[in-house]
Amino acid sequence: MRPEAHRRIIAILTFLVFLIGYGILFFTGVTNIRHLLDNAISAYLLAWALYGMFASIPLSEAGTRFLLTTGSLVFCWLLAEGAVLVGAVDYRSLLGAYESGTALSVTGRQFDRELLWRHEPHYQYEAPYQGNIGGALCIPPDPARKVVIRYDQNGFRNARDLDSAEIVVIGDSYMEGYFTPDEYLITTRLSELQGKSVANLGHSGYGPQQELAVLRRFGLPLQPKTVVWAFFEGNDFSDAEAYETKTRHSINDGRHDFWQDFWFRSLTRNVSALLFRPHHKCMPDSSLTEFRAEFLDATHRASTVFFASTEIKPVSGGTLHKALFPILEAAKLCRDRDIRFLVAFVPEKFRVYHDLDNVSLTTEAIRQWRVSDLPTQVQQLLEESDPRIEYVDLTPALKAAARAGIPTYLADDTHWTDEGNRVAAETIHRALQNASPTRLPPRT
């Protein structure tokens, strides 16, 4: 065989080996951002190796081109990421690389090893209203209902930084106020009714374990006289179950908090994350249309309201105890400091609306739903564990207002309306006014 033919065969075989390598990278798929970056770097190096083997230039010149090109790319990359290191840019805000289920992919959030994530200090944004159920149904945002959201030095919804507060409110998104203007927040209303300073330490996405950490780190240093703990029957249970797994993953990650924040703000991650965003048009979750009703308000105007599919999900005894344990710990912390402690039960929308005369359950699926006696179970378990814990169920007051034609829940969302915030604040106010705090034993 001629030498030229031999070299040609070797070249063809080598080229086939590289094609197989690229094929392996392509067909293995991409499951996460790290996998994507591994594939991209591998493909880049394979391409240069192929170029070096077949280019009609000396190998040394090919190597020089590789070093110059790679060096230029790395230099530009360092400049772009350096802007993140010095805090000049957050690529989440520029690229909007939001990923469902990844809280830190959203602008204005920072990593916290204990809380998992929290809002950045003094972060502020303006956004048009879009309900969480409405989003799943592909109902577009309403630009006429824009709300300005702002946070204090610790990432909570307070109009100003607080050094002290007579009342501290702990909870999740119901307390933080989902698209609720500052003046209509439950804590703003409660402050007006009580004539006292109220700190809003509600945080969306938090469960009982995180709320206990919030009380320790941010609530108790405010030296309150009263702590109100809002317990939501919806995702407080799933959040309690998931917390240990999430914190274990956070600890095992091994990165310092600073590098966690840098990674989520970085150009590398946010450009990569764009490839994981759905590129197709919004596809409505048609199953949610089965969970709806017609609400007749005080002016006899009917409107369609939707319910979350998880609203009547049963709760096991183990999950119930796991979710309530942090509350008992919080009660003990308050009792040791002579702080009054009140638990407010926050119900799901269906629990409030399901049996009202002015609410018509319009589908067979929603008519099959049944509510449990969870508010009573929670009250009994708390009383058995610590009789000194005060308790108020917000369900009757929200139900009475809704029966009178006042929509207390947003039609296409699981949270309260402005009126729902008002009713809840008035109910907690009455509980604090009417109930006599249990006399605490003297400190030893």
Side-chain angles (χ1 to χ4, degrees), residues 147-166:
V147 176
V148 175
I149 307 295
R150 55 186 175 181
Y151 300 101
D152 65 13
Q153 61 185 349
N154 295 316
F156 296 101
R157 277 202 72 181
N158 294 291
R160 60 184 179 86
D161 296 338
L162 299 172
D163 296 321
S164 62
E166 294 169 277

PDB file of all heavy atoms in Angstrom, residues 147-166:
ATOM      1  N   VAL A 147     -47.248  46.253  41.387  1.00  0.00           N
ATOM      2  CA  VAL A 147     -46.991  46.448  42.804  1.00  0.00           C
ATOM      3  C   VAL A 147     -45.496  46.605  43.007  1.00  0.00           C
ATOM      4  O   VAL A 147     -44.705  45.864  42.420  1.00  0.00           O
ATOM      5  CB  VAL A 147     -47.510  45.254  43.635  1.00  0.00           C
ATOM      6  CG1 VAL A 147     -47.150  45.430  45.113  1.00  0.00           C
ATOM      7  CG2 VAL A 147     -49.018  45.123  43.489  1.00  0.00           C
ATOM      8  N   VAL A 148     -45.115  47.569  43.837  1.00  0.00           N
ATOM      9  CA  VAL A 148     -43.710  47.761  44.192  1.00  0.00           C
ATOM     10  C   VAL A 148     -43.432  46.983  45.468  1.00  0.00           C
ATOM     11  O   VAL A 148     -44.099  47.173  46.486  1.00  0.00           O
ATOM     12  CB  VAL A 148     -43.383  49.255  44.394  1.00  0.00           C
ATOM     13  CG1 VAL A 148     -41.942  49.425  44.877  1.00  0.00           C
ATOM     14  CG2 VAL A 148     -43.605  50.018  43.099  1.00  0.00           C
ATOM     15  N   ILE A 149     -42.471  46.084  45.387  1.00  0.00           N
ATOM     16  CA  ILE A 149     -42.086  45.269  46.541  1.00  0.00           C
ATOM     17  C   ILE A 149     -40.704  45.719  47.003  1.00  0.00           C
ATOM     18  O   ILE A 149     -39.788  45.846  46.188  1.00  0.00           O
ATOM     19  CB  ILE A 149     -42.035  43.764  46.175  1.00  0.00           C
ATOM     20  CG1 ILE A 149     -43.360  43.328  45.529  1.00  0.00           C
ATOM     21  CG2 ILE A 149     -41.713  42.921  47.399  1.00  0.00           C
ATOM     22  CD1 ILE A 149     -44.551  43.392  46.423  1.00  0.00           C
ATOM     23  N   ARG A 150     -40.545  45.956  48.291  1.00  0.00           N
ATOM     24  CA  ARG A 150     -39.254  46.373  48.820  1.00  0.00           C
ATOM     25  C   ARG A 150     -38.975  45.651  50.131  1.00  0.00           C
ATOM     26  O   ARG A 150     -39.893  45.327  50.891  1.00  0.00           O
ATOM     27  CB  ARG A 150     -39.231  47.892  49.019  1.00  0.00           C
ATOM     28  CG  ARG A 150     -40.369  48.427  49.881  1.00  0.00           C
ATOM     29  CD  ARG A 150     -40.378  49.941  49.936  1.00  0.00           C
ATOM     30  NE  ARG A 150     -41.544  50.430  50.681  1.00  0.00           N
ATOM     31  CZ  ARG A 150     -41.813  51.721  50.872  1.00  0.00           C
ATOM     32  NH1 ARG A 150     -41.007  52.638  50.373  1.00  0.00           N
ATOM     33  NH2 ARG A 150     -42.885  52.078  51.553  1.00  0.00           N
ATOM     34  N   TYR A 151     -37.696  45.442  50.393  1.00  0.00           N
ATOM     35  CA  TYR A 151     -37.273  44.684  51.565  1.00  0.00           C
ATOM     36  C   TYR A 151     -36.313  45.505  52.421  1.00  0.00           C
ATOM     37  O   TYR A 151     -35.660  46.437  51.936  1.00  0.00           O
ATOM     38  CB  TYR A 151     -36.604  43.379  51.129  1.00  0.00           C
ATOM     39  CG  TYR A 151     -37.510  42.490  50.316  1.00  0.00           C
ATOM     40  CD1 TYR A 151     -37.400  42.435  48.928  1.00  0.00           C
ATOM     41  CD2 TYR A 151     -38.496  41.731  50.918  1.00  0.00           C
ATOM     42  CE1 TYR A 151     -38.245  41.638  48.175  1.00  0.00           C
ATOM     43  CE2 TYR A 151     -39.341  40.925  50.170  1.00  0.00           C
ATOM     44  CZ  TYR A 151     -39.214  40.880  48.797  1.00  0.00           C
ATOM     45  OH  TYR A 151     -40.050  40.097  48.054  1.00  0.00           O
ATOM     46  N   ASP A 152     -36.236  45.133  53.693  1.00  0.00           N
ATOM     47  CA  ASP A 152     -35.374  45.865  54.624  1.00  0.00           C
ATOM     48  C   ASP A 152     -33.956  45.306  54.605  1.00  0.00           C
ATOM     49  O   ASP A 152     -33.586  44.509  53.729  1.00  0.00           O
ATOM     50  CB  ASP A 152     -35.979  45.846  56.030  1.00  0.00           C
ATOM     51  CG  ASP A 152     -36.033  44.432  56.632  1.00  0.00           C
ATOM     52  OD1 ASP A 152     -35.391  43.508  56.083  1.00  0.00           O
ATOM     53  OD2 ASP A 152     -36.712  44.244  57.652  1.00  0.00           O
ATOM     54  N   GLN A 153     -33.161  45.690  55.590  1.00  0.00           N
ATOM     55  CA  GLN A 153     -31.752  45.304  55.631  1.00  0.00           C
ATOM     56  C   GLN A 153     -31.545  43.800  55.781  1.00  0.00           C
ATOM     57  O   GLN A 153     -30.472  43.277  55.448  1.00  0.00           O
ATOM     58  CB  GLN A 153     -31.060  46.014  56.806  1.00  0.00           C
ATOM     59  CG  GLN A 153     -31.655  45.652  58.170  1.00  0.00           C
ATOM     60  CD  GLN A 153     -31.060  46.448  59.300  1.00  0.00           C
ATOM     61  OE1 GLN A 153     -30.053  47.134  59.114  1.00  0.00           O
ATOM     62  NE2 GLN A 153     -31.676  46.375  60.479  1.00  0.00           N
ATOM     63  N   ASN A 154     -32.554  43.093  56.262  1.00  0.00           N
ATOM     64  CA  ASN A 154     -32.451  41.641  56.441  1.00  0.00           C
ATOM     65  C   ASN A 154     -33.226  40.862  55.386  1.00  0.00           C
ATOM     66  O   ASN A 154     -33.293  39.634  55.450  1.00  0.00           O
ATOM     67  CB  ASN A 154     -32.951  41.249  57.833  1.00  0.00           C
ATOM     68  CG  ASN A 154     -32.071  41.819  58.937  1.00  0.00           C
ATOM     69  OD1 ASN A 154     -30.847  41.777  58.845  1.00  0.00           O
ATOM     70  ND2 ASN A 154     -32.689  42.363  59.979  1.00  0.00           N
ATOM     71  N   GLY A 155     -33.816  41.559  54.429  1.00  0.00           N
ATOM     72  CA  GLY A 155     -34.536  40.872  53.354  1.00  0.00           C
ATOM     73  C   GLY A 155     -35.980  40.552  53.678  1.00  0.00           C
ATOM     74  O   GLY A 155     -36.543  39.613  53.101  1.00  0.00           O
ATOM     75  N   PHE A 156     -36.590  41.336  54.576  1.00  0.00           N
ATOM     76  CA  PHE A 156     -38.004  41.133  54.919  1.00  0.00           C
ATOM     77  C   PHE A 156     -38.806  42.366  54.531  1.00  0.00           C
ATOM     78  O   PHE A 156     -38.271  43.474  54.397  1.00  0.00           O
ATOM     79  CB  PHE A 156     -38.162  40.847  56.411  1.00  0.00           C
ATOM     80  CG  PHE A 156     -37.495  39.571  56.844  1.00  0.00           C
ATOM     81  CD1 PHE A 156     -36.256  39.609  57.472  1.00  0.00           C
ATOM     82  CD2 PHE A 156     -38.081  38.335  56.607  1.00  0.00           C
ATOM     83  CE1 PHE A 156     -35.615  38.443  57.871  1.00  0.00           C
ATOM     84  CE2 PHE A 156     -37.454  37.159  56.992  1.00  0.00           C
ATOM     85  CZ  PHE A 156     -36.216  37.214  57.623  1.00  0.00           C
ATOM     86  N   ARG A 157     -40.132  42.195  54.402  1.00  0.00           N
ATOM     87  CA  ARG A 157     -40.990  43.266  53.897  1.00  0.00           C
ATOM     88  C   ARG A 157     -41.376  44.251  54.994  1.00  0.00           C
ATOM     89  O   ARG A 157     -42.491  44.244  55.519  1.00  0.00           O
ATOM     90  CB  ARG A 157     -42.234  42.703  53.229  1.00  0.00           C
ATOM     91  CG  ARG A 157     -41.993  42.299  51.792  1.00  0.00           C
ATOM     92  CD  ARG A 157     -43.285  42.269  51.021  1.00  0.00           C
ATOM     93  NE  ARG A 157     -43.794  43.608  50.758  1.00  0.00           N
ATOM     94  CZ  ARG A 157     -44.932  43.852  50.114  1.00  0.00           C
ATOM     95  NH1 ARG A 157     -45.680  42.857  49.692  1.00  0.00           N
ATOM     96  NH2 ARG A 157     -45.331  45.089  49.908  1.00  0.00           N
ATOM     97  N   ASN A 158     -40.427  45.101  55.308  1.00  0.00           N
ATOM     98  CA  ASN A 158     -40.682  46.204  56.222  1.00  0.00           C
ATOM     99  C   ASN A 158     -40.281  47.496  55.522  1.00  0.00           C
ATOM    100  O   ASN A 158     -39.241  47.551  54.845  1.00  0.00           O
ATOM    101  CB  ASN A 158     -39.888  46.024  57.515  1.00  0.00           C
ATOM    102  CG  ASN A 158     -40.350  44.808  58.300  1.00  0.00           C
ATOM    103  OD1 ASN A 158     -41.456  44.790  58.838  1.00  0.00           O
ATOM    104  ND2 ASN A 158     -39.520  43.779  58.356  1.00  0.00           N
ATOM    105  N   ALA A 159     -41.096  48.533  55.681  1.00  0.00           N
ATOM    106  CA  ALA A 159     -40.861  49.785  54.971  1.00  0.00           C
ATOM    107  C   ALA A 159     -39.575  50.464  55.422  1.00  0.00           C
ATOM    108  O   ALA A 159     -39.011  51.276  54.696  1.00  0.00           O
ATOM    109  CB  ALA A 159     -42.048  50.725  55.166  1.00  0.00           C
ATOM    110  N   ARG A 160     -39.117  50.153  56.622  1.00  0.00           N
ATOM    111  CA  ARG A 160     -37.865  50.716  57.121  1.00  0.00           C
ATOM    112  C   ARG A 160     -37.133  49.668  57.942  1.00  0.00           C
ATOM    113  O   ARG A 160     -37.720  48.685  58.398  1.00  0.00           O
ATOM    114  CB  ARG A 160     -38.132  51.972  57.969  1.00  0.00           C
ATOM    115  CG  ARG A 160     -39.009  51.702  59.195  1.00  0.00           C
ATOM    116  CD  ARG A 160     -39.340  52.981  59.944  1.00  0.00           C
ATOM    117  NE  ARG A 160     -40.195  52.728  61.093  1.00  0.00           N
ATOM    118  CZ  ARG A 160     -39.751  52.378  62.291  1.00  0.00           C
ATOM    119  NH1 ARG A 160     -38.438  52.233  62.493  1.00  0.00           N
ATOM    120  NH2 ARG A 160     -40.585  52.174  63.297  1.00  0.00           N
ATOM    121  N   ASP A 161     -35.844  49.874  58.144  1.00  0.00           N
ATOM    122  CA  ASP A 161     -35.058  48.975  58.976  1.00  0.00           C
ATOM    123  C   ASP A 161     -35.480  49.138  60.434  1.00  0.00           C
ATOM    124  O   ASP A 161     -35.681  50.263  60.917  1.00  0.00           O
ATOM    125  CB  ASP A 161     -33.566  49.274  58.838  1.00  0.00           C
ATOM    126  CG  ASP A 161     -33.059  49.008  57.420  1.00  0.00           C
ATOM    127  OD1 ASP A 161     -33.725  48.227  56.704  1.00  0.00           O
ATOM    128  OD2 ASP A 161     -32.019  49.569  57.049  1.00  0.00           O
ATOM    129  N   LEU A 162     -35.607  48.020  61.124  1.00  0.00           N
ATOM    130  CA  LEU A 162     -36.091  48.033  62.502  1.00  0.00           C
ATOM    131  C   LEU A 162     -35.002  47.579  63.468  1.00  0.00           C
ATOM    132  O   LEU A 162     -34.320  46.586  63.226  1.00  0.00           O
ATOM    133  CB  LEU A 162     -37.309  47.110  62.645  1.00  0.00           C
ATOM    134  CG  LEU A 162     -38.538  47.466  61.791  1.00  0.00           C
ATOM    135  CD1 LEU A 162     -39.580  46.355  61.881  1.00  0.00           C
ATOM    136  CD2 LEU A 162     -39.140  48.797  62.228  1.00  0.00           C
ATOM    137  N   ASP A 163     -34.862  48.330  64.562  1.00  0.00           N
ATOM    138  CA  ASP A 163     -33.964  47.922  65.641  1.00  0.00           C
ATOM    139  C   ASP A 163     -34.725  47.228  66.764  1.00  0.00           C
ATOM    140  O   ASP A 163     -34.139  46.498  67.566  1.00  0.00           O
ATOM    141  CB  ASP A 163     -33.229  49.144  66.213  1.00  0.00           C
ATOM    142  CG  ASP A 163     -32.325  49.797  65.181  1.00  0.00           C
ATOM    143  OD1 ASP A 163     -31.698  49.054  64.401  1.00  0.00           O
ATOM    144  OD2 ASP A 163     -32.265  51.046  65.138  1.00  0.00           O
ATOM    145  N   SER A 164     -36.032  47.477  66.807  1.00  0.00           N
ATOM    146  CA  SER A 164     -36.885  46.850  67.818  1.00  0.00           C
ATOM    147  C   SER A 164     -38.306  46.820  67.283  1.00  0.00           C
ATOM    148  O   SER A 164     -38.648  47.542  66.337  1.00  0.00           O
ATOM    149  CB  SER A 164     -36.828  47.638  69.136  1.00  0.00           C
ATOM    150  OG  SER A 164     -37.323  48.959  68.949  1.00  0.00           O
ATOM    151  N   ALA A 165     -39.129  45.976  67.873  1.00  0.00           N
ATOM    152  CA  ALA A 165     -40.540  45.879  67.498  1.00  0.00           C
ATOM    153  C   ALA A 165     -41.307  45.256  68.647  1.00  0.00           C
ATOM    154  O   ALA A 165     -40.842  44.300  69.270  1.00  0.00           O
ATOM    155  CB  ALA A 165     -40.714  45.054  66.226  1.00  0.00           C
ATOM    156  N   GLU A 166     -42.482  45.792  68.930  1.00  0.00           N
ATOM    157  CA  GLU A 166     -43.294  45.254  70.017  1.00  0.00           C
ATOM    158  C   GLU A 166     -43.938  43.920  69.630  1.00  0.00           C
ATOM    159  O   GLU A 166     -44.166  43.063  70.477  1.00  0.00           O
ATOM    160  CB  GLU A 166     -44.361  46.280  70.408  1.00  0.00           C
ATOM    161  CG  GLU A 166     -43.787  47.544  71.011  1.00  0.00           C
ATOM    162  CD  GLU A 166     -44.821  48.645  71.154  1.00  0.00           C
ATOM    163  OE1 GLU A 166     -45.062  49.363  70.147  1.00  0.00           O
ATOM    164  OE2 GLU A 166     -45.393  48.798  72.245  1.00  0.00           O
TER     165      GLU A 166
END
